[in-house]
Amino acid sequence: MCKHVLNAQVAIRSPCCRKWFDCAQCHHETADHPLLQSFEMIFVCKKCKKAFRKDSREFEDSDEYCPHCDNHFVLDALTPKASLQVEGEDVRKDARMLRDERVRAEDLRTIFDVKEAPDKLG
């Protein structure tokens, strides 16, 4: 998980130490040597887990997609915008805010409840 690139879709193999990194800054932080510059870049898609090569001298708009699964790996970094939202409890724990009050419970019309019949002995 890269802290420099938001939502990194590919890992890049460094030509100097042959290790996989999400970005050049990650290589700079973990390696004890400078990054070797190369025109041929080796990527691995994080969606389909397949490797592919790209030449940076001939990089076009169609090269922004994985050749195996068409995953768009060149994404624009968007800065979060301020917004007002209603805060509540975690929906996974308490779903009362999501309950639709227009839906009513079923009215029982008979003494014998059909839904509980399999649970009763007799």
Side-chain angles (χ1 to χ4, degrees):
M1 193 76 184
C2 180
K3 63 181 180 180
H4 308 103
V5 178
L6 181 67
N7 197 13
Q9 298 291 310
V10 292
I12 304 167
R13 186 175 182 191
S14 66
C16 49
C17 58
R18 298 180 183 262
K19 293 182 182 177
W20 296 97
F21 297 98
D22 287 339
C23 69
Q25 288 88 3
C26 291
H27 179 272
H28 179 69
E29 289 179 357
T30 58
D32 57 350
H33 57 276
L35 181 64
L36 181 66
Q37 299 292 326
S38 173
F39 289 115
E40 184 178 65
M41 300 174 71
I42 302 172
F43 299 101
V44 69
C45 179
K46 291 186 177 182
K47 184 177 179 184
C48 67
K49 308 287 192 258
K50 293 184 181 177
F52 56 94
R53 297 173 188 257
K54 297 284 182 183
D55 191 1
S56 60
R57 292 174 287 191
E58 301 171 359
F59 202 80
E60 298 175 359
D61 290 341
S62 63
D63 292 333
E64 294 180 357
Y65 296 89
C66 173
H68 304 288
C69 68
D70 290 333
N71 182 23
H72 192 200
F73 62 86
V74 178
L75 300 175
D76 295 330
L78 302 175
T79 56
K81 297 179 182 177
S83 65
L84 295 174
Q85 297 178 352
V86 176
E87 291 186 13
E89 294 294 324
D90 190 5
V91 178
R92 293 170 289 184
K93 294 179 185 174
D94 185 14
R96 285 184 289 174
M97 291 181 70
L98 297 179
R99 186 179 305 148
D100 190 3
E101 299 296 334
R102 297 174 292 177
V103 178
R104 295 184 181 153
E106 295 179 17
D107 296 330
L108 296 177
R109 297 184 181 178
T110 63
I111 298 173
F112 180 71
D113 189 9
V114 179
K115 291 184 180 178
E116 293 180 4
D119 298 331
K120 295 182 180 178
L121 296 174

